[in-house]
């Protein structure tokens, strides 16, 4: 069986798959303990026993419930049952005190806390980016796995600063990461004189080592303090990339869907007005196609539980939980790796924004509407070229 498995792979595909497996800690964290069906646990060791007997995953799951898709739908319900759902920033809050009090590695916690205290402002002031990390060879394999491409429609002048709004979020924003947090697709060559910063949740900067790793790629907190510093205190030629829809938009990201969460998302427009940064729309075609996401039918107890779980985690931890699946280690198998589907990020024309110290609501609404129009124009001009039909429309909610 092992030889049959290996025969399906080649070296290039193995390297591409391993590069994407960097995201696996997210998957393991969400779904490492069990699968549930009608309240009965199906533990991973049961699946392992079946694999050892030579049974295909799909055949075994059908024998248990008759429908493979059912397992895909209910997989992440186990998060609430047997996993402790934590945001990235909550991990050190628990682990550091544990090491400090209950283990002989207390000095590690002391050093980590001391370094965080000493270096606390760095991630909000541009971080420590590394051209070496951004140019790692592994990112090229990551890019080729899909593949991912960056397309420029207009020049970005180094004389200005920019907020690049990225749509859609996707279950995981692979295109945004590869195009803006690495040099694999040639951002520096395509946009000379522009330094990109990808904004994400600040909690990730509370994690020792991970903090240094993400800062080296030019990742910064999506906080007002960090954004305004980059757009006003570091000269010109800076571009902050913000996934405006955030994690909440991930719940809308189904294959074929072209819905963006934007109508009430006006904070990025206000920051642009306060700093004078130009707004740049961008859309990643194909980003919604790399995972299948399931939503239970309204009125069922599964949908009630799913929605209650999502609402609770969103309220308490600002965490959006998706029910999704993709391919396995080989093409055609099931698992949680993304499908091999092209992702093309198209960066649109910059929208000039005046600098206003305290913009009123009317002004914010005006430029927010102009931005939505610019995004819709960008979408309509490129949708057919990158795999959508002429009749497909961008839905803004």
């Amino acid at each position: 069986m092992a030889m049959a498995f290996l025969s399906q792979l080649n070296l290039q595909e193995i390297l591409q798959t391993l590069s994407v497996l960097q995201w696996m800690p997210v998957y393991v964290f969400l779904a490492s303990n069990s699968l549930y069906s009608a309240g009965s646990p199906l533990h991973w060791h049961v699946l392992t026993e079946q694999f050892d007997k030579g049974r295909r995953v799909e055949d075994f799951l059908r024998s248990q419930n008759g429908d493979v898709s059912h397992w895909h739908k209910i997989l992440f319900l186990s998060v609430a049952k047997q996993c402790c759902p934590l945001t990235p920033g909550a991990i050190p809050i628990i682990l550091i005190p544990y090491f400090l009090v209950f283990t002989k590695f207390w000095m590690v916690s002391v050093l980590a806390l001391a370094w965080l205290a000493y270096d606390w402002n760095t991630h909000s002031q541009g971080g420590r980016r590394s051209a070496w990390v951004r140019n790692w060879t592994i990112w090229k394999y990551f890019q080729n796995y899909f593949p991912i491409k960056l397309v420029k429609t207009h020049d970005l002048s180094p004389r200005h600063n920019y907020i690049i709004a990225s749509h859609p979020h996707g279950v995981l924003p692979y295109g945004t990461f590869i195009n803006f947090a690495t040099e694999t697709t040639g951002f520096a060559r395509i946009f000379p004189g522009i330094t990109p910063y990808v904004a994400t949740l600040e909690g990730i900067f509370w994690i020792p080592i991970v903090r240094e790793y993400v800062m080296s790629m030019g990742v910064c907190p999506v906080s007002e303090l960090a954004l305004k510093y980059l757009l006003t205190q570091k000269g010109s030629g800076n571009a902050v990339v913000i996934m405006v829809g955030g994690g909440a938009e991930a719940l809308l990201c189904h294959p074929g869907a072209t819905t963006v969460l934007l109508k009430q998302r006006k904070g990025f427009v206000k920051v642009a007005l306060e700093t004078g940064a130009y707004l740049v729309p961008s859309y990643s075609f194909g980003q919604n196609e790399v995972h299948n996401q399931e939503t239970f039918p309204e009125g069922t107890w599964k949908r009630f539980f799913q929605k209650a779980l999502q609402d609770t985690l969103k309220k308490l931890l600002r965490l959006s939980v998706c029910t999704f699946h993709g391919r396995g280690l080989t093409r055609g198998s099931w698992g949680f790796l993304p499908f091999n589907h092209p992702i093309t990020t198209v960066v649109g024309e910059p929208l000039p924004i005046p600098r206003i110290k305290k913009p009123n609501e009317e002004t914010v609404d005006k430029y927010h509407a102009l931005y939505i129009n610019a995004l819709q124009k960008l979408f309509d001009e490129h949708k057919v070229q990158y795999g959508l039909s002429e009749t497909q429309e961008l839905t803004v909610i």
Side-chain angles (χ1 to χ4, degrees), residues 40-54:
S40 300
L42 170 65
H43 294 286
W44 288 110
H45 69 81
V46 178
L47 288 177
T48 304
E49 292 173 0
Q50 300 301 321
F51 302 158
D52 291 340
K53 295 176 182 177

Side-chain angles (χ1 to χ4, degrees), residues 340-392:
N340 304 89
H341 189 283
I343 299 175
T344 303
T345 300
V346 182
V347 180
E349 181 179 5
L351 176 64
I353 303 292
R355 187 169 184 176
I356 303 174
K357 189 173 183 180
K358 293 184 178 181
N360 56 36
E361 186 176 346
E362 182 180 348
T363 303
V364 172
D365 289 344
K366 172 187 173 182
Y367 285 95
H368 183 256
L370 289 174
Y371 173 79
I372 291 177
N373 290 337
L375 176 63
Q376 290 178 323
K377 178 183 176 183
L378 177 73
F379 178 86
D380 290 338
E381 288 178 348
H382 297 89
K383 60 185 180 183
V384 175
Q385 183 179 355
Y386 298 113
L388 299 178
S389 67
E390 184 68 44
T391 58
Q392 192 90 32

Side-chain angles (χ1 to χ4, degrees), residues 46 55 66 129 174 203 211 219 232 239 244 274 305-306 373:
V46 178
R55 298 184 68 178
R129 65 194 299 121
Y174 301 105
R211 175 178 183 268
V219 178
T232 61
V244 178
E274 291 172 342
F305 183 79
Q306 182 184 44
N373 290 337

Side-chain angles (χ1 to χ4, degrees), residues 133-259:
V133 174
R134 287 176 59 87
N135 284 281
W136 278 353
T137 303
I138 194 172
W139 305 136
K140 177 59 68 174
Y141 289 110
F142 196 127
Q143 176 207 4
N144 291 335
Y145 175 94
F146 294 91
I148 295 172
K149 184 168 67 171
L150 179 64
V151 174
K152 176 179 75 172
T153 62
H154 292 79
D155 291 331
L156 298 183
S157 170
R159 293 178 296 175
H160 304 289
N161 288 323
Y162 304 90
I163 293 178
I164 300 177
S166 179
H167 312 273
H169 184 281
V171 172
L172 287 171
Y174 301 105
T176 303
F177 169 72
I178 284 295
N179 285 317
F180 301 114
T182 80
E183 285 297 331
T184 303
T185 53
F187 184 93
R189 171 180 51 81
I190 296 173
F191 297 103
I194 304 298
T195 304
Y197 296 87
V198 178
T200 188
L201 294 176
E202 187 164 16
I204 201 168
F205 296 94
W206 303 352
I207 309 176
I209 302 177
V210 173
R211 175 178 183 268
E212 306 299 326
Y213 177 56
V214 297
M215 281 198 296
S216 69
M217 292 184 285
V219 178
C220 70
V222 66
S223 65
E224 186 176 4
L225 176 65
L227 298 181
K228 287 187 174 180
Y229 183 90
L230 291 170
L231 297 172
T232 61
Q233 302 296 316
K234 284 184 69 69
S236 60
N238 300 301
V240 179
V241 182
I242 301 177
M243 287 167 280
V244 178
E249 190 175 78
L251 300 175
L252 307 173
C253 296
H254 302 262
T258 54
T259 301

Side-chain angles (χ1 to χ4, degrees), residues 2-41:
M3 292 302 296
F5 171 77
L6 292 175
S7 68
Q8 299 178 53
L9 300 175
N10 57 53
L11 180 59
Q12 189 76 6
E13 184 169 353
I14 290 172
L15 292 173
Q16 292 173 7
T17 302
L18 289 176
S19 71
V20 177
L21 280 173
Q22 295 175 94
W23 294 77
M24 281 305 293
V26 178
Y27 305 138
V28 172
F29 169 73
L30 288 175
S32 61
N33 287 348
S34 70
L35 297 170
Y36 265 79
S37 174
S40 300

Side-chain angles (χ1 to χ4, degrees), residues 266-297:
K266 301 179 181 180
F268 72 106
V269 177
K270 185 178 180 182
V271 171
L273 286 163
E274 291 172 342
T275 61
Y278 286 16
L279 286 174
V280 183
S282 71
Y283 194 92
S284 294
F285 294 91
Q287 189 143 274
N288 284 349
E289 317 301 319
V290 296
H291 286 292
N292 287 331
Q293 186 174 169
E294 303 286 352
T295 302
F296 296 117

